[in-house]
Amino acid sequence: MRALGLRLAGLLRAGDLVLLTGELGAGKTTLTRGLGEGLGVRGAVTSPTFVIARVHPPLADGPPLVHVDAYRLGGGLEEMEDLDLDVSLPDSVVVVEWGEGKVEELTEQRLHVVLTRATGQDAPSGEGAERSGDGVGDSGPEAAEDVRTVTLVGVGPRWAAEDFGALG
């Protein structure tokens, strides 16, 4: 997931909203850690579950990363109003874990990343399957049970021409 985040970061720019959907342990925070590394932001990217949102400023030229965890927020955009995401979005890359159904109203241009974790004999292989972790030591029976399927869905003209297959 981290390696995928590194590759995906190359597509992102200020004003992008990324929604991450997947069960607990699917790799949402690990993917965001890779995004932060790829965007070159300051600070360790960790789960903002209890603080709800963290802002990671860029180390050089580039947008800040706003990392939001909406898991504990039940309502829609109104409940997230205090986070001022509408103010942050034009100048930042905003990544929202558990954001589906909560922040879509921020913009008509967004990227949905759906992570599905399969285990055991249900684990897929080949195109679209991404191993969790950083690729080091990801072999053997444990790795085979820790495969994710990642689905990227771009919404709006911003994403219409993107070739997600190149992230492979």
Side-chain angles (χ1 to χ4, degrees):
M1 291 289 84
R2 188 182 131 276
L4 178 61
L6 279 165
R7 295 189 304 268
L8 184 57
L11 299 178
L12 298 177
R13 60 184 186 222
D16 285 341
L17 174 64
V18 180
L19 303 180
L20 302 181
T21 302
E23 64 185 22
L24 287 170
K28 295 178 296 297
T29 300
T30 302
L31 177 75
T32 307
R33 191 171 294 122
L35 289 173
E37 189 176 334
L39 291 170
V41 298
R42 183 176 36 210
V45 175
T46 59
S47 178
T49 300
F50 296 104
V51 295
I52 308 298
R54 284 197 173 97
V55 177
H56 298 275
L59 291 170
D61 291 334
L65 172 67
V66 178
H67 182 198
V68 179
D69 186 331
Y71 181 72
R72 299 191 185 288
L73 302 176
L77 192 57
E78 320 77 54
E79 192 168 336
M80 299 185 75
E81 217 169 67
D82 291 340
L83 299 177
D84 288 332
L85 295 180
D86 55 335
V87 174
S88 300
L89 184 59
D91 301 318
S92 306
V93 171
V94 176
V95 176
V96 184
E97 296 185 29
W98 306 96
E100 191 171 6
K102 298 176 183 175
V103 296
E104 289 91 338
E105 295 173 31
L106 283 173
T107 179
E108 293 179 7
Q109 319 282 332
R110 59 192 170 274
L111 178 62
H112 289 257
V113 180
V114 180
L115 308 173
T116 306
R117 182 177 181 200
T119 58
Q121 66 191 47
D122 294 332
S125 61
E127 189 175 335
E130 180 76 23
R131 296 204 187 283
S132 67
D134 59 8
V136 177
D138 286 346
S139 62
E142 302 85 23
E145 294 182 5
D146 207 18
V147 174
R148 271 61 166 176
T149 300
V150 179
T151 305
L152 302 170
V153 179
V155 176
R158 155 72 177 99
W159 297 103
E162 284 298 341
D163 178 16
F164 296 123
L167 295 172

